[in-house]
Amino acid sequence: MQTYSTSHILEFNKGTLLLKVQSSNSSSLFEQFVWDERVGAQRAKASKYDEIVKVFASNQSHRLDDRVYKSLGSLSNWEAISLRTYQKAALLNWEASGKKGIVCLPTGAGKTRVAIATIAYSNVSTLCLVPTRVLLHQWIKNVHEFYKGPIGILGDGCKKLHPITVSTFESAFRNMPWIGNCFKLLIIDEVHHFGNAIRDEIFSMSIAPYRLGLTATRPDSDKNSLQLQNLQEFVGPIIFSMNIHDLTGVYLSDFSHIKVSLRLNQVEAVRYERESKLFKSYYRSFKKQYPDSNWQEFTKLSSLSASGRQALAAYFRSRRIVNLPEAKIVKLESLLQQHQNCKKLIFTSDSESAITISRLYLIPAITSEIKKAERESILQDFLQDKIKAIVSCKVLNEGIDIPDAEVAIIVGGNSNEREHVQRIGRLLRPSEGKKAIVYELIMLNTHEERQSIKRGKPFENFKFNRIKNNI
């Protein structure tokens, strides 16, 4: 009969683990713990739970009374989930990587299905994290296609836990000190939002030994980046990655990407040049003084002086001039007429431009301000062919399923490659005979030319059609 020299009690406490021992001297056995004088016990991150249990299992002289995991019940009522070859490969790679890691698949390639198959395969309590309320309800709908048991929800005014629960990032962050011991698998949709923010604490407050991150683009191609290092610690390494080139024509719809070059009118050009000159003069001076500063540091320090605030104001005025100038309005009207019988998505740089386009052409706008019921009504009308176009700023970028959109018109955006890939991905869900078209409106001799080059890197292997319009 095995005898133990020391007995320990391990408990979950407000997002951490407490190990109740006789004295602080026992800490030499467990590297993950620090002595907490306030409660007279050892304390560790909840994320170290699996490692700690394994240490006890391998030590013959210490017995562990493990009171950490709180069961929410078992998973049952699964239906068969069919996977494409690459989706199976992603799941196998995750298994081979110790059930941790990040899967990178382009929009429309079925990341959510990979995640649902992972839950079914693991058959353990799972918390699915999503960035928005829109995706919260979409994920619940998608999981219900294959899982007929109850699904918990955290967010949008609801708080109900089940063995499979879907939560917004914000709700998970607020509730993890109390629910961090309820789930053994974390699924993180749009995982690129993490790695450099305060909500990263979600991962340290969860005992989940298994973790899967999902994203349409690699979080960072630079192996030395702090974000990627953090994500590797929180979720795991990138264990599977495919891009649009790999899947287009077979699993994703073929598409043409047409860059349309336009020009500011004389009045707009003069205003843009004046505002840009004011900003650039200050910015060059600032960079000489702080050569290693980033944009966040620049805006923070510039807001402290009158000249800095004037420069920032000039910067935003120059952007507004380019967001929706006369030439873009004229070209947009032409494209709407040209594709009047096709389903169209229009993307803008800001909500103001989206609302303006909505009013000019009586196109429903989906912005962060509209309520859930109105948003769902617009998407349903679009699906049922009652409306032919939707205009949006950011809301349609991530995750929302719009399976039969055929044309995208990018009126404005930023230099972010990820945003560009996500926007184009809205069109790439395949259907028989579908050939998607993406129009990108670019103002010549403005910052948009540089932005277009930067965000277009993922599509360098495609032959772009370029249309010049001197409007």
Side-chain angles (χ1 to χ4, degrees), residues 95-383:
E95 167 73 15
S97 299
K99 297 184 179 179
K100 288 185 178 181
I102 297 171
V103 170
C104 304
L105 287 173
T107 302
K111 295 186 296 297
T112 305
R113 181 168 289 215
V114 172
I116 296 171
T118 301
I119 302 171
Y121 170 79
S122 304
N123 201 38
V124 296
S125 54
T126 303
L127 181 64
C128 306
L129 306 178
V130 300
T132 65
R133 290 176 294 173
V134 177
L135 288 176
L136 180 77
H137 297 285
Q138 184 169 292
W139 261 78
I140 292 172
K141 179 182 177 182
N142 290 339
V143 174
H144 262 313
E145 290 182 24
F146 303 100
Y147 180 70
K148 302 310 176 182
I151 298 176
I153 179 171
L154 282 176
D156 203 15
C158 299
K159 187 176 181 181
K160 184 180 291 185
L161 299 182
H162 285 293
I164 298 178
T165 297
V166 185
S167 172
T168 61
F169 293 165
E170 187 62 34
S171 292
F173 178 67
R174 292 178 179 178
N175 288 282
M176 198 61 77
W178 298 276
I179 67 169
N181 61 333
C182 296
F183 302 97
K184 293 186 176 181
L185 170 62
L186 289 184
I187 304 282
I188 309 98
D189 195 15
E190 310 295 353
V191 72
H192 54 265
H193 286 282
F194 292 98
N196 50 19
I198 189 171
R199 290 179 182 83
D200 291 348
E201 290 182 31
I202 287 174
F203 302 108
S204 66
M205 291 190 288
S206 170
I207 69 167
Y210 314 133
R211 303 183 178 199
L212 172 65
L214 306 171
T215 182
T217 53
R218 297 176 69 91
D220 199 318
S221 59
D222 181 358
K223 293 182 180 179
N224 295 317
S225 84
L226 181 59
Q227 183 192 23
L228 188 56
Q229 289 178 31
N230 289 337
L231 286 175
Q232 287 174 341
E233 178 186 350
F234 302 149
V235 183
I238 295 173
I239 48 95
F240 190 84
S241 180
M242 296 187 78
N243 58 38
I244 287 177
H245 310 301
D246 300 323
L247 300 174
T248 299
V250 180
Y251 296 110
L252 296 178
S253 172
D254 284 323
F255 75 102
S256 296
H257 188 171
I258 301 174
K259 294 189 174 184
V260 183
S261 299
L262 304 167
R263 294 184 183 277
L264 296 171
N265 64 32
Q266 186 174 359
V267 174
E268 292 166 343
V270 170
R271 288 174 53 213
Y272 179 81
E273 181 63 25
R274 181 178 65 246
E275 303 294 356
S276 297
K277 186 176 180 180
L278 194 160
F279 167 73
K280 289 177 181 178
S281 175
Y282 179 86
Y283 186 70
R284 283 193 294 266
S285 175
F286 179 90
K287 290 299 287 185
K288 286 181 180 179
Q289 188 174 0
Y290 305 99
D292 298 325
S293 62
N294 57 32
W295 179 256
Q296 288 73 24
E297 292 166 337
F298 167 72
T299 55
K300 181 179 180 179
L301 292 174
S302 298
S303 65
L304 300 178
S305 67
S307 57
R309 291 191 293 271
Q310 289 174 358
L312 285 172
Y315 169 83
F316 290 114
R317 285 195 297 267
S318 71
R319 262 49 183 176
R320 284 195 293 271
I321 293 168
V322 175
N323 285 347
L324 195 62
E326 179 186 14
K328 283 186 178 180
I329 293 175
V330 172
K331 188 61 185 178
L332 174 61
E333 183 171 355
S334 172
L335 291 174
L336 291 174
Q337 292 175 352
Q338 181 181 339
H339 298 285
Q340 58 182 318
N341 295 321
C342 299
K343 290 188 175 181
K344 301 168 286 292
L345 300 178
I346 304 166
F347 294 100
T348 66
S349 298
D350 60 342
S351 294
E352 182 181 351
S353 298
I355 296 301
T356 299
I357 291 171
S358 176
R359 290 171 177 169
L360 282 173
Y361 303 109
L362 302 180
I363 295 173
I366 294 183
T367 67
S368 58
E369 289 80 19
I370 73 166
K371 301 296 183 181
K372 174 188 171 184
E374 183 180 358
R375 179 183 67 242
E376 290 183 347
S377 176
I378 292 172
L379 292 175
Q380 188 65 23
D381 286 347
F382 189 78
L383 181 65

Side-chain angles (χ1 to χ4, degrees), residues 8-11 49 53 63-69:
H8 306 265
I9 298 174
L10 188 64
E11 296 178 342
Y49 172 70
V53 171
R63 185 180 71 83
L64 179 65
D65 182 1
D66 185 351
R67 303 178 184 179
V68 172
Y69 179 62

